PDB file of all heavy atoms in Angstrom:
ATOM      1  N   SER A  20       1.687  -5.062  -6.230  1.00  0.00           N
ATOM      2  CA  SER A  20       0.786  -3.936  -5.625  1.00  0.00           C
ATOM      3  C   SER A  20      -0.105  -3.445  -6.694  1.00  0.00           C
ATOM      4  O   SER A  20      -1.211  -2.965  -6.443  1.00  0.00           O
ATOM      5  CB  SER A  20       1.605  -2.844  -4.974  1.00  0.00           C
ATOM      6  OG  SER A  20       2.307  -2.101  -5.989  1.00  0.00           O
ATOM      7  N   LEU A  21       0.316  -3.419  -7.950  1.00  0.00           N
ATOM      8  CA  LEU A  21      -0.513  -2.915  -9.134  1.00  0.00           C
ATOM      9  C   LEU A  21      -1.640  -3.867  -9.321  1.00  0.00           C
ATOM     10  O   LEU A  21      -2.733  -3.474  -9.679  1.00  0.00           O
ATOM     11  CB  LEU A  21       0.349  -2.795 -10.331  1.00  0.00           C
ATOM     12  CG  LEU A  21       1.361  -1.711 -10.326  1.00  0.00           C
ATOM     13  CD1 LEU A  21       2.211  -1.749 -11.630  1.00  0.00           C
ATOM     14  CD2 LEU A  21       0.797  -0.314 -10.077  1.00  0.00           C
ATOM     15  N   ALA A  22      -1.417  -5.177  -9.158  1.00  0.00           N
ATOM     16  CA  ALA A  22      -2.442  -6.187  -9.354  1.00  0.00           C
ATOM     17  C   ALA A  22      -3.566  -6.052  -8.260  1.00  0.00           C
ATOM     18  O   ALA A  22      -4.747  -6.290  -8.557  1.00  0.00           O
ATOM     19  CB  ALA A  22      -1.870  -7.557  -9.373  1.00  0.00           C
ATOM     20  N   ASP A  23      -3.142  -5.705  -6.999  1.00  0.00           N
ATOM     21  CA  ASP A  23      -4.087  -5.595  -5.941  1.00  0.00           C
ATOM     22  C   ASP A  23      -3.712  -4.490  -4.982  1.00  0.00           C
ATOM     23  O   ASP A  23      -3.131  -4.683  -3.902  1.00  0.00           O
ATOM     24  CB  ASP A  23      -4.190  -6.926  -5.170  1.00  0.00           C
ATOM     25  CG  ASP A  23      -5.359  -6.973  -4.194  1.00  0.00           C
ATOM     26  OD1 ASP A  23      -6.030  -5.859  -3.963  1.00  0.00           O
ATOM     27  OD2 ASP A  23      -5.648  -8.068  -3.656  1.00  0.00           O
ATOM     28  N   PRO A  24      -3.965  -3.215  -5.346  1.00  0.00           N
ATOM     29  CA  PRO A  24      -3.566  -2.017  -4.575  1.00  0.00           C
ATOM     30  C   PRO A  24      -4.068  -2.060  -3.206  1.00  0.00           C
ATOM     31  O   PRO A  24      -3.343  -1.693  -2.133  1.00  0.00           O
ATOM     32  CB  PRO A  24      -4.038  -0.859  -5.350  1.00  0.00           C
ATOM     33  CG  PRO A  24      -4.423  -1.347  -6.688  1.00  0.00           C
ATOM     34  CD  PRO A  24      -4.667  -2.793  -6.574  1.00  0.00           C
ATOM     35  N   ALA A  25      -5.334  -2.460  -2.936  1.00  0.00           N
ATOM     36  CA  ALA A  25      -5.928  -2.422  -1.616  1.00  0.00           C
ATOM     37  C   ALA A  25      -5.172  -3.371  -0.715  1.00  0.00           C
ATOM     38  O   ALA A  25      -4.832  -3.047   0.454  1.00  0.00           O
ATOM     39  CB  ALA A  25      -7.412  -2.837  -1.683  1.00  0.00           C
ATOM     40  N   ALA A  26      -4.772  -4.535  -1.194  1.00  0.00           N
ATOM     41  CA  ALA A  26      -4.026  -5.528  -0.342  1.00  0.00           C
ATOM     42  C   ALA A  26      -2.658  -5.006  -0.011  1.00  0.00           C
ATOM     43  O   ALA A  26      -2.193  -5.053   1.063  1.00  0.00           O
ATOM     44  CB  ALA A  26      -4.031  -6.935  -1.042  1.00  0.00           C
ATOM     45  N   ALA A  27      -2.020  -4.365  -1.019  1.00  0.00           N
ATOM     46  CA  ALA A  27      -0.742  -3.805  -0.852  1.00  0.00           C
ATOM     47  C   ALA A  27      -0.703  -2.750   0.228  1.00  0.00           C
ATOM     48  O   ALA A  27       0.135  -2.601   1.088  1.00  0.00           O
ATOM     49  CB  ALA A  27      -0.128  -3.220  -2.169  1.00  0.00           C
ATOM     50  N   GLN A  28      -1.767  -1.828   0.203  1.00  0.00           N
ATOM     51  CA  GLN A  28      -1.913  -0.781   1.161  1.00  0.00           C
ATOM     52  C   GLN A  28      -2.146  -1.343   2.547  1.00  0.00           C
ATOM     53  O   GLN A  28      -1.612  -0.829   3.568  1.00  0.00           O
ATOM     54  CB  GLN A  28      -2.939   0.209   0.737  1.00  0.00           C
ATOM     55  CG  GLN A  28      -2.500   1.034  -0.459  1.00  0.00           C
ATOM     56  CD  GLN A  28      -3.648   1.944  -0.932  1.00  0.00           C
ATOM     57  OE1 GLN A  28      -4.726   1.898  -0.524  1.00  0.00           O
ATOM     58  NE2 GLN A  28      -3.353   2.701  -1.938  1.00  0.00           N
ATOM     59  N   GLU A  29      -2.971  -2.359   2.641  1.00  0.00           N
ATOM     60  CA  GLU A  29      -3.255  -2.990   3.953  1.00  0.00           C
ATOM     61  C   GLU A  29      -1.958  -3.569   4.529  1.00  0.00           C
ATOM     62  O   GLU A  29      -1.654  -3.531   5.749  1.00  0.00           O
ATOM     63  CB  GLU A  29      -4.357  -3.974   3.880  1.00  0.00           C
ATOM     64  CG  GLU A  29      -5.689  -3.293   3.580  1.00  0.00           C
ATOM     65  CD  GLU A  29      -6.882  -4.003   4.201  1.00  0.00           C
ATOM     66  OE1 GLU A  29      -6.645  -4.823   5.149  1.00  0.00           O
ATOM     67  OE2 GLU A  29      -7.949  -3.729   3.747  1.00  0.00           O
ATOM     68  N   THR A  30      -1.090  -4.191   3.645  1.00  0.00           N
ATOM     69  CA  THR A  30       0.173  -4.786   4.086  1.00  0.00           C
ATOM     70  C   THR A  30       1.054  -3.641   4.657  1.00  0.00           C
ATOM     71  O   THR A  30       1.671  -3.855   5.836  1.00  0.00           O
ATOM     72  CB  THR A  30       0.841  -5.498   2.931  1.00  0.00           C
ATOM     73  OG1 THR A  30      -0.059  -6.537   2.557  1.00  0.00           O
ATOM     74  CG2 THR A  30       2.210  -5.998   3.346  1.00  0.00           C
ATOM     75  N   VAL A  31       1.167  -2.546   3.970  1.00  0.00           N
ATOM     76  CA  VAL A  31       1.983  -1.437   4.414  1.00  0.00           C
ATOM     77  C   VAL A  31       1.413  -0.929   5.773  1.00  0.00           C
ATOM     78  O   VAL A  31       2.162  -0.661   6.759  1.00  0.00           O
ATOM     79  CB  VAL A  31       2.011  -0.296   3.352  1.00  0.00           C
ATOM     80  CG1 VAL A  31       2.667   0.993   3.976  1.00  0.00           C
ATOM     81  CG2 VAL A  31       2.820  -0.744   2.165  1.00  0.00           C
ATOM     82  N   LEU A  32       0.101  -0.707   5.852  1.00  0.00           N
ATOM     83  CA  LEU A  32      -0.512  -0.233   7.091  1.00  0.00           C
ATOM     84  C   LEU A  32      -0.251  -1.219   8.231  1.00  0.00           C
ATOM     85  O   LEU A  32       0.125  -0.715   9.380  1.00  0.00           O
ATOM     86  CB  LEU A  32      -2.039  -0.036   6.910  1.00  0.00           C
ATOM     87  CG  LEU A  32      -2.816   0.450   8.074  1.00  0.00           C
ATOM     88  CD1 LEU A  32      -2.363   1.861   8.480  1.00  0.00           C
ATOM     89  CD2 LEU A  32      -4.315   0.476   7.816  1.00  0.00           C
ATOM     90  N   SER A  33      -0.360  -2.450   8.010  1.00  0.00           N
ATOM     91  CA  SER A  33      -0.174  -3.385   9.114  1.00  0.00           C
ATOM     92  C   SER A  33       1.313  -3.406   9.535  1.00  0.00           C
ATOM     93  O   SER A  33       1.638  -3.601  10.765  1.00  0.00           O
ATOM     94  CB  SER A  33      -0.543  -4.833   8.756  1.00  0.00           C
ATOM     95  OG  SER A  33       0.291  -5.374   7.788  1.00  0.00           O
ATOM     96  N   GLY A  34       2.255  -3.046   8.699  1.00  0.00           N
ATOM     97  CA  GLY A  34       3.621  -2.895   9.084  1.00  0.00           C
ATOM     98  C   GLY A  34       3.948  -1.597   9.860  1.00  0.00           C
ATOM     99  O   GLY A  34       4.788  -1.520  10.710  1.00  0.00           O
ATOM    100  N   LEU A  35       3.153  -0.547   9.555  1.00  0.00           N
ATOM    101  CA  LEU A  35       3.332   0.718  10.202  1.00  0.00           C
ATOM    102  C   LEU A  35       2.646   0.824  11.584  1.00  0.00           C
ATOM    103  O   LEU A  35       3.215   1.519  12.470  1.00  0.00           O
ATOM    104  CB  LEU A  35       2.801   1.864   9.324  1.00  0.00           C
ATOM    105  CG  LEU A  35       3.561   2.155   8.033  1.00  0.00           C
ATOM    106  CD1 LEU A  35       2.872   3.103   7.143  1.00  0.00           C
ATOM    107  CD2 LEU A  35       4.972   2.621   8.366  1.00  0.00           C
ATOM    108  N   LEU A  36       1.530   0.190  11.750  1.00  0.00           N
ATOM    109  CA  LEU A  36       0.792   0.306  12.997  1.00  0.00           C
ATOM    110  C   LEU A  36       1.531  -0.040  14.246  1.00  0.00           C
ATOM    111  O   LEU A  36       1.395   0.679  15.228  1.00  0.00           O
ATOM    112  CB  LEU A  36      -0.543  -0.456  12.910  1.00  0.00           C
ATOM    113  CG  LEU A  36      -1.632   0.217  11.985  1.00  0.00           C
ATOM    114  CD1 LEU A  36      -2.748  -0.716  11.674  1.00  0.00           C
ATOM    115  CD2 LEU A  36      -2.024   1.532  12.632  1.00  0.00           C
ATOM    116  N   PRO A  37       2.380  -1.108  14.302  1.00  0.00           N
ATOM    117  CA  PRO A  37       3.086  -1.376  15.518  1.00  0.00           C
ATOM    118  C   PRO A  37       4.029  -0.219  15.860  1.00  0.00           C
ATOM    119  O   PRO A  37       4.286   0.124  17.090  1.00  0.00           O
ATOM    120  CB  PRO A  37       3.839  -2.682  15.223  1.00  0.00           C
ATOM    121  CG  PRO A  37       3.000  -3.313  14.142  1.00  0.00           C
ATOM    122  CD  PRO A  37       2.435  -2.213  13.361  1.00  0.00           C
ATOM    123  N   ARG A  38       4.605   0.396  14.875  1.00  0.00           N
ATOM    124  CA  ARG A  38       5.519   1.560  15.100  1.00  0.00           C
ATOM    125  C   ARG A  38       4.680   2.783  15.572  1.00  0.00           C
ATOM    126  O   ARG A  38       5.108   3.469  16.536  1.00  0.00           O
ATOM    127  CB  ARG A  38       6.235   1.957  13.774  1.00  0.00           C
ATOM    128  CG  ARG A  38       7.197   0.907  13.284  1.00  0.00           C
ATOM    129  CD  ARG A  38       7.878   1.315  12.100  1.00  0.00           C
ATOM    130  NE  ARG A  38       8.160   0.122  11.254  1.00  0.00           N
ATOM    131  CZ  ARG A  38       8.577   0.174  10.000  1.00  0.00           C
ATOM    132  NH1 ARG A  38       8.793   1.359   9.379  1.00  0.00           N
ATOM    133  NH2 ARG A  38       8.833  -0.887   9.369  1.00  0.00           N
ATOM    134  N   TYR A  39       3.558   2.990  15.002  1.00  0.00           N
ATOM    135  CA  TYR A  39       2.674   4.123  15.479  1.00  0.00           C
ATOM    136  C   TYR A  39       2.313   3.876  16.890  1.00  0.00           C
ATOM    137  O   TYR A  39       2.212   4.826  17.657  1.00  0.00           O
ATOM    138  CB  TYR A  39       1.434   4.183  14.591  1.00  0.00           C
ATOM    139  CG  TYR A  39       1.599   4.627  13.153  1.00  0.00           C
ATOM    140  CD1 TYR A  39       0.532   4.548  12.322  1.00  0.00           C
ATOM    141  CD2 TYR A  39       2.745   5.144  12.724  1.00  0.00           C
ATOM    142  CE1 TYR A  39       0.639   4.925  10.994  1.00  0.00           C
ATOM    143  CE2 TYR A  39       2.933   5.547  11.428  1.00  0.00           C
ATOM    144  CZ  TYR A  39       1.844   5.436  10.503  1.00  0.00           C
ATOM    145  OH  TYR A  39       1.960   5.836   9.197  1.00  0.00           O
ATOM    146  N   ALA A  40       2.038   2.642  17.239  1.00  0.00           N
ATOM    147  CA  ALA A  40       1.561   2.305  18.610  1.00  0.00           C
ATOM    148  C   ALA A  40       2.552   2.722  19.753  1.00  0.00           C
ATOM    149  O   ALA A  40       2.253   2.907  20.870  1.00  0.00           O
ATOM    150  CB  ALA A  40       1.168   0.831  18.786  1.00  0.00           C
ATOM    151  N   ARG A  41       3.836   2.770  19.326  1.00  0.00           N
ATOM    152  CA  ARG A  41       4.868   3.150  20.245  1.00  0.00           C
ATOM    153  C   ARG A  41       5.142   4.677  20.397  1.00  0.00           C
ATOM    154  O   ARG A  41       5.964   5.166  21.176  1.00  0.00           O
ATOM    155  CB  ARG A  41       6.232   2.524  19.835  1.00  0.00           C
ATOM    156  CG  ARG A  41       6.148   0.993  19.960  1.00  0.00           C
ATOM    157  CD  ARG A  41       7.515   0.348  19.814  1.00  0.00           C
ATOM    158  NE  ARG A  41       8.200   0.608  18.587  1.00  0.00           N
ATOM    159  CZ  ARG A  41       8.178  -0.165  17.471  1.00  0.00           C
ATOM    160  NH1 ARG A  41       7.574  -1.298  17.458  1.00  0.00           N
ATOM    161  NH2 ARG A  41       8.832   0.213  16.381  1.00  0.00           N
ATOM    162  N   THR A  42       4.353   5.479  19.691  1.00  0.00           N
ATOM    163  CA  THR A  42       4.428   6.925  19.722  1.00  0.00           C
ATOM    164  C   THR A  42       3.277   7.490  20.579  1.00  0.00           C
ATOM    165  O   THR A  42       2.253   6.835  20.724  1.00  0.00           O
ATOM    166  CB  THR A  42       4.429   7.546  18.335  1.00  0.00           C
ATOM    167  OG1 THR A  42       3.118   7.436  17.791  1.00  0.00           O
ATOM    168  CG2 THR A  42       5.453   6.925  17.351  1.00  0.00           C
ATOM    169  N   ARG A  43       3.512   8.700  21.099  1.00  0.00           N
ATOM    170  CA  ARG A  43       2.463   9.391  21.795  1.00  0.00           C
ATOM    171  C   ARG A  43       1.214   9.578  20.943  1.00  0.00           C
ATOM    172  O   ARG A  43       0.088   9.244  21.337  1.00  0.00           O
ATOM    173  CB  ARG A  43       2.943  10.731  22.336  1.00  0.00           C
ATOM    174  CG  ARG A  43       1.829  11.363  23.222  1.00  0.00           C
ATOM    175  CD  ARG A  43       2.326  12.776  23.773  1.00  0.00           C
ATOM    176  NE  ARG A  43       2.063  13.702  22.576  1.00  0.00           N
ATOM    177  CZ  ARG A  43       2.759  14.705  22.307  1.00  0.00           C
ATOM    178  NH1 ARG A  43       3.812  15.027  23.026  1.00  0.00           N
ATOM    179  NH2 ARG A  43       2.420  15.482  21.243  1.00  0.00           N
ATOM    180  N   TYR A  44       1.441  10.032  19.736  1.00  0.00           N
ATOM    181  CA  TYR A  44       0.327  10.257  18.805  1.00  0.00           C
ATOM    182  C   TYR A  44      -0.434   8.965  18.598  1.00  0.00           C
ATOM    183  O   TYR A  44      -1.653   8.890  18.542  1.00  0.00           O
ATOM    184  CB  TYR A  44       0.859  10.864  17.517  1.00  0.00           C
ATOM    185  CG  TYR A  44      -0.271  11.284  16.560  1.00  0.00           C
ATOM    186  CD1 TYR A  44      -0.994  12.433  16.787  1.00  0.00           C
ATOM    187  CD2 TYR A  44      -0.607  10.523  15.424  1.00  0.00           C
ATOM    188  CE1 TYR A  44      -2.002  12.795  15.882  1.00  0.00           C
ATOM    189  CE2 TYR A  44      -1.538  10.865  14.564  1.00  0.00           C
ATOM    190  CZ  TYR A  44      -2.255  12.057  14.836  1.00  0.00           C
ATOM    191  OH  TYR A  44      -3.294  12.478  13.904  1.00  0.00           O
ATOM    192  N   GLY A  45       0.275   7.911  18.347  1.00  0.00           N
ATOM    193  CA  GLY A  45      -0.279   6.548  18.041  1.00  0.00           C
ATOM    194  C   GLY A  45      -1.049   6.096  19.227  1.00  0.00           C
ATOM    195  O   GLY A  45      -2.188   5.498  19.163  1.00  0.00           O
ATOM    196  N   ARG A  46      -0.490   6.253  20.496  1.00  0.00           N
ATOM    197  CA  ARG A  46      -1.272   5.844  21.658  1.00  0.00           C
ATOM    198  C   ARG A  46      -2.535   6.645  21.833  1.00  0.00           C
ATOM    199  O   ARG A  46      -3.557   6.136  22.264  1.00  0.00           O
ATOM    200  CB  ARG A  46      -0.405   5.972  22.934  1.00  0.00           C
ATOM    201  CG  ARG A  46       0.738   4.815  23.062  1.00  0.00           C
ATOM    202  CD  ARG A  46       1.402   4.890  24.279  1.00  0.00           C
ATOM    203  NE  ARG A  46       2.090   6.157  24.591  1.00  0.00           N
ATOM    204  CZ  ARG A  46       3.322   6.547  24.216  1.00  0.00           C
ATOM    205  NH1 ARG A  46       4.002   5.650  23.475  1.00  0.00           N
ATOM    206  NH2 ARG A  46       3.855   7.692  24.494  1.00  0.00           N
ATOM    207  N   GLU A  47      -2.439   7.936  21.604  1.00  0.00           N
ATOM    208  CA  GLU A  47      -3.615   8.841  21.704  1.00  0.00           C
ATOM    209  C   GLU A  47      -4.702   8.418  20.689  1.00  0.00           C
ATOM    210  O   GLU A  47      -5.939   8.688  20.918  1.00  0.00           O
ATOM    211  CB  GLU A  47      -3.272  10.231  21.385  1.00  0.00           C
ATOM    212  CG  GLU A  47      -2.418  10.879  22.573  1.00  0.00           C
ATOM    213  CD  GLU A  47      -1.845  12.243  22.187  1.00  0.00           C
ATOM    214  OE1 GLU A  47      -2.023  12.741  21.039  1.00  0.00           O
ATOM    215  OE2 GLU A  47      -1.193  12.870  23.141  1.00  0.00           O
ATOM    216  N   HIS A  48      -4.367   7.756  19.656  1.00  0.00           N
ATOM    217  CA  HIS A  48      -5.363   7.349  18.627  1.00  0.00           C
ATOM    218  C   HIS A  48      -5.505   5.897  18.515  1.00  0.00           C
ATOM    219  O   HIS A  48      -6.097   5.342  17.505  1.00  0.00           O
ATOM    220  CB  HIS A  48      -4.938   7.953  17.294  1.00  0.00           C
ATOM    221  CG  HIS A  48      -5.041   9.445  17.204  1.00  0.00           C
ATOM    222  ND1 HIS A  48      -4.015  10.261  17.659  1.00  0.00           N
ATOM    223  CD2 HIS A  48      -6.091  10.289  16.940  1.00  0.00           C
ATOM    224  CE1 HIS A  48      -4.404  11.520  17.632  1.00  0.00           C
ATOM    225  NE2 HIS A  48      -5.626  11.601  17.138  1.00  0.00           N
ATOM    226  N   ASN A  49      -5.214   5.163  19.650  1.00  0.00           N
ATOM    227  CA  ASN A  49      -5.464   3.668  19.642  1.00  0.00           C
ATOM    228  C   ASN A  49      -4.775   2.878  18.632  1.00  0.00           C
ATOM    229  O   ASN A  49      -5.441   1.887  18.170  1.00  0.00           O
ATOM    230  CB  ASN A  49      -6.949   3.416  19.706  1.00  0.00           C
ATOM    231  CG  ASN A  49      -7.607   4.175  20.794  1.00  0.00           C
ATOM    232  OD1 ASN A  49      -7.236   4.140  21.972  1.00  0.00           O
ATOM    233  ND2 ASN A  49      -8.592   5.004  20.455  1.00  0.00           N
ATOM    234  N   ALA A  50      -3.600   3.225  18.167  1.00  0.00           N
ATOM    235  CA  ALA A  50      -2.976   2.433  17.135  1.00  0.00           C
ATOM    236  C   ALA A  50      -2.788   0.960  17.435  1.00  0.00           C
ATOM    237  O   ALA A  50      -2.912   0.160  16.535  1.00  0.00           O
ATOM    238  CB  ALA A  50      -1.602   3.079  16.756  1.00  0.00           C
ATOM    239  N   GLY A  51      -2.636   0.672  18.736  1.00  0.00           N
ATOM    240  CA  GLY A  51      -2.441  -0.693  19.092  1.00  0.00           C
ATOM    241  C   GLY A  51      -3.761  -1.592  18.962  1.00  0.00           C
ATOM    242  O   GLY A  51      -3.638  -2.804  18.929  1.00  0.00           O
TER     243      GLY A  51
END
Side-chain angles (χ1 to χ4, degrees):
S20 73
L21 294 177
D23 190 350
Q28 290 176 355
E29 290 209 24
T30 298
V31 170
L32 180 62
S33 68
L35 292 173
L36 284 168
R38 295 181 211 169
Y39 291 169
R41 294 190 301 262
T42 68
R43 185 184 79 213
Y44 187 77
R46 287 188 301 274
E47 290 171 356
H48 292 88
N49 304 307

